[in-house]
Amino acid sequence: MMYLETKRLILRDYCADDFDEYYRLKSDLKTMYYLQDIQLHTKEEAHEDFHKVLEDLSQPNRKFYFLHIELKDTHEQVGSVGYTVTDETPAGKIVGAGYFIYPKFWGKGYTTEAFQRVLAFAFAENNVYRVTTGCLAENIGSERVMQKCGLIKEAEHIDYEWHDGKMKTRLEYRLLSREWGGYEI
């Protein structure tokens, strides 16, 4: 079981007892506004998704490294952060990263803190070579997290994605293992 800590947070694998929190987080309209493609709408849908998450934890070639984030002092759920392995190459794993945090925790540095710790695990302990992530250009907070964590802007796709009734611009960021600046644990 993965268990990582930061100054203020615990990042850990989900366990069977986390279903209700997982469902509440991934079905929250404001939290998932920019991630509607993975938003959950029914408990049945959530059970199926959560089962896949738990099943993957025991696989020798694990693909999903999305972790439950909670406050150290109160154990209140903050959100989720992590990555999905999309390819394994001789140079290392290629992953797509992301995070989704309850709005009440936005602007407090928790997302940056959690994502920095995940990047440290990825590059220092899990043979990740390339991390890719992105956001809609209007999602300034998410882009700022990427920048604070040292990711490099790779592309700006104008009118790239249909979202909330209109075409929107998408930004893509990356970080290679050799570009990673390290992280003090």
Side-chain angles (χ1 to χ4, degrees), residues 73-84:
D73 57 354
T74 65
H75 297 284
E76 182 180 4
Q77 182 187 32
V78 173
S80 187
V81 62
Y83 56 87
T84 300

Side-chain angles (χ1 to χ4, degrees), residues 14 18 20-26 68-71 74-80 100-102 104-105:
Y14 285 96
D18 294 325
D20 288 335
E21 286 186 325
Y22 183 85
Y23 175 57
R24 188 170 46 254
L25 177 70
K26 287 194 71 178
H68 170 90
I69 306 169
E70 62 186 56
L71 297 176
T74 65
H75 297 284
E76 182 180 4
Q77 182 187 32
V78 173
S80 187
F100 36 103
I101 309 297
Y102 280 117
K104 74 185 249 180
F105 297 109

Side-chain angles (χ1 to χ4, degrees), residues 28-34 78 100-111 139 141:
D28 185 83
L29 295 177
K30 196 163 183 184
T31 301
M32 302 305 291
Y33 176 73
Y34 288 111
V78 173
F100 36 103
I101 309 297
Y102 280 117
K104 74 185 249 180
F105 297 109
W106 294 352
K108 300 179 185 331
Y110 292 125
T111 310
N139 191 351

Side-chain angles (χ1 to χ4, degrees), residues 135-155:
C135 65
L136 293 179
E138 69 186 47
N139 191 351
I140 296 165
S142 184
E143 182 181 19
R144 192 72 191 111
V145 169
M146 294 173 215
Q147 293 167 341
K148 286 180 183 177
C149 291
L151 277 74
I152 299 160
K153 187 175 182 181
E154 223 172 23

Side-chain angles (χ1 to χ4, degrees), residues 60-127:
N61 292 323
R62 182 176 173 171
K63 299 289 182 209
F64 305 109
Y65 289 86
F66 272 85
L67 306 173
H68 170 90
I69 306 169
E70 62 186 56
L71 297 176
K72 266 187 181 178
D73 57 354
T74 65
H75 297 284
E76 182 180 4
Q77 182 187 32
V78 173
S80 187
V81 62
Y83 56 87
T84 300
V85 177
T86 57
D87 197 10
E88 294 203 34
T89 73
K93 296 174 184 169
I94 310 298
V95 305
Y99 35 81
F100 36 103
I101 309 297
Y102 280 117
K104 74 185 249 180
F105 297 109
W106 294 352
K108 300 179 185 331
Y110 292 125
T111 310
T112 300
E113 188 175 322
F115 194 42
Q116 285 175 333
R117 183 62 183 96
V118 165
L119 290 170
F121 169 79
F123 291 127
E125 302 177 50
N126 198 26
N127 192 36

